[in-house]
Amino acid sequence: MELTHRQRLERSLSGEKPDRTPVAFWHHFPVDDQHPETLAKATLAFQKQFDFDLVKIMPPSSFCLKDWGVEDEWRGNPEGTRDYTRRAIHAPEDWQNLSTLDPQAGYLGRQLACLEILQHELDEQTPTIQTIFNPLSQAKNLVGPENLLRHLRCFPSALHEGLKTIQETTLRFINTAKQYSISGIFFAIQHASYDLLTEREYEEFGRTYDLPLLDAVEDLWLNMVHLHGKNIMFNQITDYPVQVLNWHDRETPPSLSEGLAQFSGCVCGGIARVETLILGSPETVKLEAKQAIEQTEGRRLILSTGCVLPLTTPYGNIMAARNIVEELG
């Protein structure tokens, strides 16, 4: 019997073997992501084209920051991301001037309007997850990546003041977004990497502000953490209260099978973004998909890639990943 998207994911989360491996990919929608109606339409068109098992809602990273004064623009980045042209934090003392935002106003309110459209257009068996950047990732975009590390090490008290406000604003947005039938959140973490911070630093400036937000979605059934980058602190995240972990498994340890041994939920990944999905062929995509399913014995796996699909990803390679799960059953 063919399962619905939700049933398939629920079986995977429980450790059972579903009728086929769940599969999902996502990418940015530059230009379209500047208005709730066009972002919703682009999201729906992408889902209609590929019929993935979950829909990740993809606002730009600035959606949660523009009401604090950042500015950004689309300059053709192949990943579909926008470049920041103005930061909101220029000096350590600026962190204390951040005010808690109203989730139903401004750009946050516009994202809720997108959720409302999707709630009406997608059936209840197609899960949706809202992208949420963790507070430290938001702080990076408010002040810039280099200045974030400088403030973290030289002005920690000031940064903590800012992180508290970011956390409270994010908590209010999450609690409001839950009213629009989302199945979970996609919690993007960008600094749990030994290339950037020590474990103690991430504990203080990352984990401290992450966990209360994840506690707020414990009543949702499909929460995913994305660990961005290489040399990641995987062991520091495996006890986060989420159902799915996603990381660049083809670019940095652990492998999918190693991840499953350390984490009780589902892993999400298996296919290399650049070497395979952009530069490879449908045959290469199918080979890596088969390897991912073999690594996990077809259990507790969502077939995907380690991060967003670049805009240059060929249609045929995406469709190959979508079709192979049907062929393998």
Side-chain angles (χ1 to χ4, degrees), residues 190-260:
Q190 300 177 339
H191 294 83
S193 164
Y194 294 106
D195 293 339
L196 297 172
L197 300 179
T198 66
E199 289 182 7
R200 186 200 64 79
E201 287 173 331
Y202 194 78
E203 175 79 24
E204 179 179 353
F205 295 95
R207 186 183 182 93
T208 298
Y209 299 96
D210 293 345
L211 292 182
L213 297 178
L214 295 176
D215 287 343
V217 293
E218 64 179 355
D219 55 333
L220 301 181
W221 65 277
L222 189 60
N223 299 302
M224 186 184 306
V225 159
H226 168 65
L227 279 171
H228 190 76
K230 298 181 180 180
N231 202 15
I232 56 175
M233 301 178 187
F234 194 84
N235 291 338
Q236 306 305 309
I237 306 298
T238 51
D239 65 342
Y240 272 35
V242 297
Q243 290 80 23
V244 186
L245 284 185
N246 169 245
W247 71 100
H248 302 249
D249 65 281
R250 285 282 180 174
E251 302 173 44
T252 190
S255 66
L256 290 179
S257 59
E258 291 167 340
L260 274 184

Side-chain angles (χ1 to χ4, degrees), residues 32-47:
D32 298 324
D33 60 15
Q34 295 303 287
H35 301 282
E37 296 83 4
T38 51
L39 176 57
K41 287 180 180 179
T43 303
L44 291 167
F46 189 60
Q47 176 61 13

Side-chain angles (χ1 to χ4, degrees), residues 89 91-98 151 158:
I89 303 297
E93 54 268 25
D94 292 341
W95 291 111
Q96 65 184 357
N97 295 327
L98 291 181
H151 285 198

Side-chain angles (χ1 to χ4, degrees), residues 148-175:
L148 174 69
L149 298 183
R150 184 172 69 89
H151 285 198
L152 184 148
R153 289 168 180 146
C154 299
F155 308 100
S157 297
L159 178 57
H160 276 302
E161 287 300 310
L163 288 170
K164 290 174 185 175
T165 303
I166 296 169
Q167 182 196 59
E168 178 59 27
T169 293
T170 306
L171 180 61
R172 293 185 183 188
F173 176 79
I174 288 173
N175 284 333

Side-chain angles (χ1 to χ4, degrees), residues 52-289:
F52 294 129
D53 288 299
L54 66 88
V55 174
K56 179 182 179 295
I57 304 164
M58 292 289 293
S61 64
S62 59
F63 89 94
C64 49
L65 308 174
K66 280 195 171 182
D67 294 314
W68 279 315
V70 304
E71 296 177 3
D72 61 349
E73 64 181 35
W74 164 239
R75 292 175 173 172
N77 185 294
E79 289 195 352
T81 56
R82 297 170 65 83
D83 292 336
Y84 284 86
T85 57
R86 183 183 184 277
R87 306 287 181 177
I89 303 297
H90 305 282
E93 54 268 25
D94 292 341
W95 291 111
Q96 65 184 357
N97 295 327
L98 291 181
S99 58
T100 304
L101 300 175
D102 178 355
Q104 295 180 303
Y107 285 88
L108 291 176
R110 292 167 68 168
Q111 184 57 31
L112 295 177
C114 176
L115 294 184
E116 184 174 19
I117 296 170
L118 294 174
Q119 179 186 24
H120 290 298
E121 294 294 331
L122 289 170
D123 67 81
E124 61 182 13
Q125 291 300 315
T126 301
T128 58
I129 57 175
Q130 168 65 43
T131 302
I132 298 290
F133 293 89
N134 82 326
L136 197 56
S137 299
Q138 293 185 50
K140 176 205 72 175
N141 290 328
L142 286 169
V143 72
E146 296 82 9
N147 280 331
L148 174 69
L149 298 183
R150 184 172 69 89
H151 285 198
L152 184 148
R153 289 168 180 146
C154 299
F155 308 100
S157 297
L159 178 57
H160 276 302
E161 287 300 310
L163 288 170
K164 290 174 185 175
T165 303
I166 296 169
Q167 182 196 59
E168 178 59 27
T169 293
T170 306
L171 180 61
R172 293 185 183 188
F173 176 79
I174 288 173
N175 284 333
T176 308
K178 286 164 64 175
Q179 300 172 22
Y180 294 89
S181 302
I182 59 172
S183 305
I185 64 171
F186 181 95
F187 197 65
I189 295 175
Q190 300 177 339
H191 294 83
S193 164
Y194 294 106
D195 293 339
L196 297 172
L197 300 179
T198 66
E199 289 182 7
R200 186 200 64 79
E201 287 173 331
Y202 194 78
E203 175 79 24
E204 179 179 353
F205 295 95
R207 186 183 182 93
T208 298
Y209 299 96
D210 293 345
L211 292 182
L213 297 178
L214 295 176
D215 287 343
V217 293
E218 64 179 355
D219 55 333
L220 301 181
W221 65 277
L222 189 60
N223 299 302
M224 186 184 306
V225 159
H226 168 65
L227 279 171
H228 190 76
K230 298 181 180 180
N231 202 15
I232 56 175
M233 301 178 187
F234 194 84
N235 291 338
Q236 306 305 309
I237 306 298
T238 51
D239 65 342
Y240 272 35
V242 297
Q243 290 80 23
V244 186
L245 284 185
N246 169 245
W247 71 100
H248 302 249
D249 65 281
R250 285 282 180 174
E251 302 173 44
T252 190
S255 66
L256 290 179
S257 59
E258 291 167 340
L260 274 184
Q262 300 173 59
F263 178 62
S264 61
C266 278
V267 295
C268 177
I271 304 179
R273 289 195 309 154
V274 177
E275 295 83 352
T276 301
L277 283 167
I278 295 180
L279 302 178
S281 65
E283 290 70 29
T284 311
V285 172
K286 290 181 179 181
L287 175 61
E288 289 197 354

